[in-house]
């Protein structure tokens, strides 16, 4: 059984990553909306920004390297192996780069949907993502379900889905039905793709042929986001978006300086989002990651009411209550499971054993 110190560290890491994911999963869609509603037009630029902040990850990676070097110097054991700056081996690099390209495609589909659809419709489709995550997690990582987690999936999907009941006033003015249908289809495909990406990250942790540490999780994010932004950069070049981007700063509704703040802010917030996501998957599972993202859908709506003065209506209130109920149900199930494991430690052996929190 895991030592008590390891379990406490794992819980602290999980809480930190849940906070990062919650911040990114609400802030990301809000800042994308800020870009589009004030005159931003480039879907490729918006999707590029979702990955482009990856150099930020070099900061925690450098801190991790310094900590490991200090530990090594202070250690009384003789260790002749060279301290590596890069821990990732080829199989994990290949997995991360493939997931990165798929993420680049997803970022484009997701940005396209957010820019073309009414807020409520986009919320409905993003809500379906949790069901896709559950299905792919079942096949890819043999996710086990309890009555509590199934209850949570149904409540959270319903909760966010209720937002779609209220569509008037949300639909962008003067949008053609072709653009609307394309927005719908692209967002739905993005929900399927992201529902696939989350369990695929968990799958790569177990199949990467090396023990996963938090430093390695950071390296995985760096590689993933590098390839995601490369994919979108190529898209930007092919679609000749650069010309329109150089002009749009002059016409941006909030002014030129705010335009740059929105772009840089986007890049940072999406890194926080992905860092939270890969971290929650590392500490717990892709299913919990999906549950948290679904919980953030109605919370984002409430924040949009506060920050963008969007209308608050009964559906948003009911949606929030259902989502919180689903979330509590999930955690109650997890709590009961943890208690069962404390009583019967042999069950712990069924958990993944290739992860280490205490060794960064
Ligand atoms: N499809 C999709 N893409 C994302 N990229 C970052 N977050 C999301 C999300 O919730 N859904």
């Amino acid at each position: 059984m895991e030592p008590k110190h390891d379990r406490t560290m794992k819980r602290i890491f999980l809480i930190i990553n849940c906070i990062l994911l919650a911040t990114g999963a609400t802030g990301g869609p809000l800042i994308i909306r800020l870009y589009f509603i004030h005159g931003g037009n480039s879907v490729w630029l918006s999707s590029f920004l979702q990955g482009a902040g990856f150099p930020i990850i070099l900061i925690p990676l450098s801190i991790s390297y310094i900590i490991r070097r200090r530990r090594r110097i202070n250690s009384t054991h003789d260790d002749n192996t060279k301290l590596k700056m890069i821990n990732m081996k080829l199989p994990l690099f290949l997995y991360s780069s493939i997931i990165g390209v798929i993420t680049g495609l997803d970022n484009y589909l997701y940005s396209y949907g957010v820019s073309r659809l009414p807020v409520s419709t986009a919320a409905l489709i993003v809500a379906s993502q949790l069901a896709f995550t559950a299905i792919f997690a079942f096949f890819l990582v043999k996710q086990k379900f309890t009555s509590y987690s199934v209850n949570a999936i149904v409540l959270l999907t319903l909760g966010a889905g209720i937002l779609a009941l209220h569509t008037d006033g949300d639909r962008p003015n003067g949008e053609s039905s072709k653009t609307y249908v394309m927005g719908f289809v692209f967002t739905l495909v993005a929900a399927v793709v992201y529902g696939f990406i989350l369990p695929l990250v968990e799958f790569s942790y177990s199949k990467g042929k090396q023990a996963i540490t938090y430093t390695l999780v950071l390296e995985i994010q760096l590689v993933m986001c590098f390839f995601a932004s490369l994919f979108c950069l190529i898209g930007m070049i092919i679609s000749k978006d650069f010309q329109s981007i150089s002009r749009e700063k002059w016409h941006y509704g909030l002014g030129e300086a705010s335009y740059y703040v929105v772009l840089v802010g986007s890049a940072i917030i999406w890194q926080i989002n992905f860092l939270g996501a890969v971290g929650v998957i590392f500490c717990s599972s892709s299913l919990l990651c999906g549950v948290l993202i679904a919980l953030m859908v109605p919370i984002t709506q409430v924040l949009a009411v506060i920050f963008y003065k969007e209308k608050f209506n009964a559906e948003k209130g009911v949606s929030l209550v259902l989502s919180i109920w689903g979330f509590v149900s999930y955690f109650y199930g997890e709590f009961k499971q943890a208690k069962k494991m404390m009583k019967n430690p042999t069950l712990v052996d069924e958990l993944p054993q290739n992860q280490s929190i205490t060794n960064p």
Side-chain angles (χ1 to χ4, degrees):
M1 194 176 170
E2 262 178 335
K4 193 157 179 272
H5 173 250
D6 271 22
R7 258 182 293 140
T8 313
M9 284 299 288
K10 205 164 190 168
R11 248 173 238 159
I12 294 171
F13 260 71
L14 180 59
I15 292 169
I16 294 172
N17 282 292
C18 286
I19 294 170
L20 292 175
L21 179 59
T23 310
T26 49
L30 285 176
I31 203 157
I32 284 199
R33 213 177 292 170
L34 193 63
Y35 168 74
F36 286 115
I37 58 180
H38 290 291
N41 279 312
S42 170
V43 174
W44 277 116
L45 174 63
S46 148
S47 33
F48 169 73
L49 290 172
Q50 290 184 43
F54 66 86
I56 298 171
I57 300 300
L58 291 172
I59 301 171
L61 272 176
S62 312
I63 296 173
S64 157
Y65 180 74
I66 294 167
I67 293 175
R68 281 180 291 133
R69 217 176 60 169
R70 274 225 187 117
R71 254 192 214 172
R72 164 90 53 127
I73 292 167
N74 295 337
S75 165
T76 47
H77 300 293
D78 260 351
D79 192 348
N80 295 327
T81 54
K82 202 167 172 277
L83 185 61
K84 288 187 189 138
M85 278 198 92
I86 301 166
N87 296 284
M88 187 181 277
K89 297 202 176 113
L90 188 64
L92 208 49
F93 176 78
L94 291 177
Y95 274 119
S96 310
S97 38
I98 292 167
I99 297 173
V101 173
I102 303 174
T103 305
L105 171 70
D106 170 77
N107 289 347
Y108 177 77
L109 297 167
Y110 182 76
S111 288
Y112 187 95
V114 172
S115 70
R116 301 293 196 275
L117 286 185
V119 172
S120 48
T121 314
L124 167 76
I125 306 170
V126 172
S128 66
Q129 194 165 287
L130 177 58
F132 294 121
T133 307
I135 294 168
F136 286 121
F138 176 74
F139 287 109
L140 276 175
V141 291
K142 310 220 171 0
Q143 172 71 47
K144 296 198 175 62
F145 294 95
T146 61
S147 51
Y148 295 101
S149 57
V150 172
N151 188 37
I153 292 167
V154 172
L155 284 171
L156 282 156
T157 309
L158 264 181
I162 279 181
L163 293 171
L165 294 178
H166 203 100
T167 48
D168 60 312
D170 273 341
R171 186 164 174 167
N173 290 332
E175 182 174 286
S176 71
S177 66
K178 183 174 163 246
T179 319
Y180 182 81
V181 171
M182 270 178 71
F184 196 96
V185 172
F186 277 29
T187 318
L188 186 62
V189 178
V192 179
V193 174
Y194 208 61
F196 175 62
I197 288 173
L198 300 178
L200 192 60
V201 170
E202 189 175 344
F203 179 79
S204 73
Y205 288 171
S206 60
K207 298 287 176 203
K209 296 201 169 84
Q210 61 185 121
I212 305 292
T213 61
Y214 197 67
T215 306
L216 207 44
V217 169
L218 293 173
E219 289 179 13
I220 291 170
Q221 170 164 357
L222 190 79
V223 175
M224 262 174 66
C225 287
F226 171 78
F227 280 97
S229 36
L230 186 65
F231 179 91
C232 296
L233 187 68
I234 294 171
M236 239 153 88
I237 294 168
I238 294 174
S239 66
K240 299 197 173 66
D241 257 16
F242 281 112
Q243 284 101 324
S244 65
I245 292 165
S246 59
R247 264 180 272 120
E248 79 180 7
K249 62 175 183 284
W250 304 113
H251 308 291
Y252 191 64
L254 299 174
E256 192 186 343
S258 301
Y259 179 77
Y260 289 116
V261 172
V262 169
L263 298 196
V264 174
S266 275
I268 296 173
I269 286 180
W270 284 107
Q271 283 310 301
I272 294 176
N273 187 338
F274 284 119
L275 188 57
V278 289
V280 168
I281 297 172
F282 168 64
C283 299
S284 177
S285 65
S286 49
L287 186 63
L288 174 62
C289 184
V291 164
L292 278 166
I293 292 172
L295 174 69
M296 290 309 136
V297 173
I299 292 180
T300 308
Q301 306 298 314
V302 173
L303 291 176
V305 170
I306 297 169
F307 292 122
Y308 300 154
K309 308 279 176 276
E310 288 184 4
K311 279 176 265 169
F312 192 81
N313 49 41
E315 287 85 354
K316 288 184 184 174
V318 174
S319 161
L320 191 62
V321 172
L322 281 180
S323 302
I324 292 172
W325 179 12
F327 190 64
V328 170
S329 164
Y330 180 87
F331 270 95
Y332 184 68
E334 289 295 294
F335 175 72
K336 278 192 75 163
Q337 185 80 2
K339 259 180 102 174
K340 211 163 107 190
M341 283 182 182
M342 294 274 224
K343 279 194 192 144
N344 189 358
T346 52
L347 290 175
V348 175
D349 294 338
E350 291 173 14
L351 294 172
Q353 297 295 312
N354 64 333
Q355 299 171 2
S356 166
I357 294 277
T358 41
N359 180 7

